[in-house]
Amino acid sequence: MKIIDINNWKGKKHYLWFKKYPAHYYSVTSKIDITKFITYIKTNNLPFFISLIYLVTKALNQIEEFRLREVNNEVVLYDVIHPAYTVMTDSGVYDNCDNNYFDNYQDFKVAAEKAINKAKIGVREDTSYNDYSRLDQFYISSLPWIDFTSVTQPMPDDATITVPRIVWGKYHQVDDKVMLTISIQVSHMLVDGYPLSCGFIKIQELLNEPERHLH
């Protein structure tokens, strides 16, 4: 990662303005078309959850603002962001796990499968939900039982407050398309409406061409 020189940074005004807000985060919820994605993974027997985590992580890594964090009152830009996500354990309770992001899908899939299989054994009482020693992550979750229209996130008062939080719901058929609702929450200190919109657009672009990325 590199430290951003605030005084010579285009985001200086936004950062200093919203830094004064006790709740400087906001979220946007949007529907995306996963028709081509769902057809491709079913045809090729690929896992839905892992494949979607991969594409979302790959897409958001391409937007610089999504790789910004506030660390010790400084703005830093990470080279790459990795996914941390919730997994339903065998005891019927969610726990968190994570794995490193690999640009190669097969390498990512192997790492994610290993992490998920370990997490499914049961809730780990000796670990935190998130690894507070690192902020180079996206926090990802899902509600695969319902299609929602909006989401609120429980927010801590700690260093993870500038970590983007992503959640999606149950996909459903709309005429000849399969649609999925995704909510993305970001800190307005670091991500304004334009890069947030670019994040949604980039996710849709990758989902429209699964054959290019999931091989």
Side-chain angles (χ1 to χ4, degrees):
M1 68 178 183
K2 69 175 182 180
I3 297 175
I4 299 295
D5 178 5
I6 295 295
N7 291 322
N8 294 295
W9 177 45
K10 65 179 182 180
K12 175 183 177 180
K13 184 175 181 179
H14 270 93
Y15 173 70
L16 294 178
W17 180 265
F18 287 104
K19 186 177 175 64
K20 297 180 293 185
Y21 284 46
H24 50 75
Y25 41 85
Y26 71 104
S27 64
V28 170
T29 301
S30 182
K31 292 189 180 297
I32 58 173
D33 182 351
I34 64 167
T35 308
K36 293 181 179 178
F37 167 77
I38 200 76
T39 300
Y40 183 83
I41 64 169
K42 286 183 176 180
T43 301
N44 293 277
N45 195 30
L46 299 176
F48 176 90
F49 187 59
I50 291 174
S51 300
L52 188 53
I53 289 175
Y54 170 78
L55 289 181
V56 168
T57 304
K58 182 182 181 74
L60 297 184
N61 262 295
Q62 296 179 44
I63 311 298
E64 182 176 292
E65 287 82 356
F66 275 93
R67 292 186 280 115
L68 293 172
R69 302 287 184 273
E70 185 184 59
V71 182
N72 297 324
N73 286 315
E74 291 184 307
V75 177
V76 303
L77 175 65
Y78 284 98
D79 294 330
V80 62
I81 304 297
H82 309 276
Y85 45 91
T86 56
V87 173
M88 178 64 76
T89 68
D90 292 340
S91 59
V93 179
Y94 270 119
D95 203 359
N96 282 13
C97 72
D98 56 51
N99 63 269
N100 284 339
Y101 171 74
F102 298 95
D103 193 52
N104 179 277
Y105 170 70
Q106 293 300 329
D107 291 340
F108 180 88
K109 180 171 172 288
V110 169
E113 287 173 340
K114 182 178 180 180
I116 290 172
N117 288 336
K118 181 179 180 180
K120 280 186 175 181
I121 295 174
V123 174
R124 298 162 294 172
E125 300 292 348
D126 60 337
T127 62
S128 170
Y129 277 111
N130 295 309
D131 184 352
Y132 294 106
S133 68
R134 57 184 304 183
L135 301 179
D136 59 337
Q137 293 181 322
F138 296 127
Y139 293 163
I140 300 173
S141 190
S142 65
L143 288 170
W145 308 279
I146 59 171
D147 175 38
F148 54 77
T149 56
S150 64
V151 172
T152 57
Q153 297 272 5
M155 293 299 294
D157 183 17
D158 60 32
T160 69
I161 200 166
T162 59
V163 174
R165 288 154 164 83
I166 301 108
V167 60
W168 53 75
K170 179 181 180 179
Y171 64 79
H172 57 286
Q173 193 83 26
V174 179
D175 298 325
D176 60 343
K177 295 181 179 180
V178 181
M179 304 299 293
L180 179 72
T181 302
I182 291 186
S183 175
I184 301 178
Q185 178 174 293
V186 293
S187 168
H188 214 326
M189 294 194 305
L190 305 175
V191 186
D192 64 20
Y194 176 65
L196 178 58
S197 299
C198 290
F200 281 104
I201 292 168
K202 182 59 67 174
I203 290 171
Q204 185 66 75
E205 287 178 0
L206 269 58
L207 287 165
N208 286 344
E209 297 182 313
E211 67 283 352
R212 288 189 56 191
H213 308 288
L214 303 177
H215 57 78

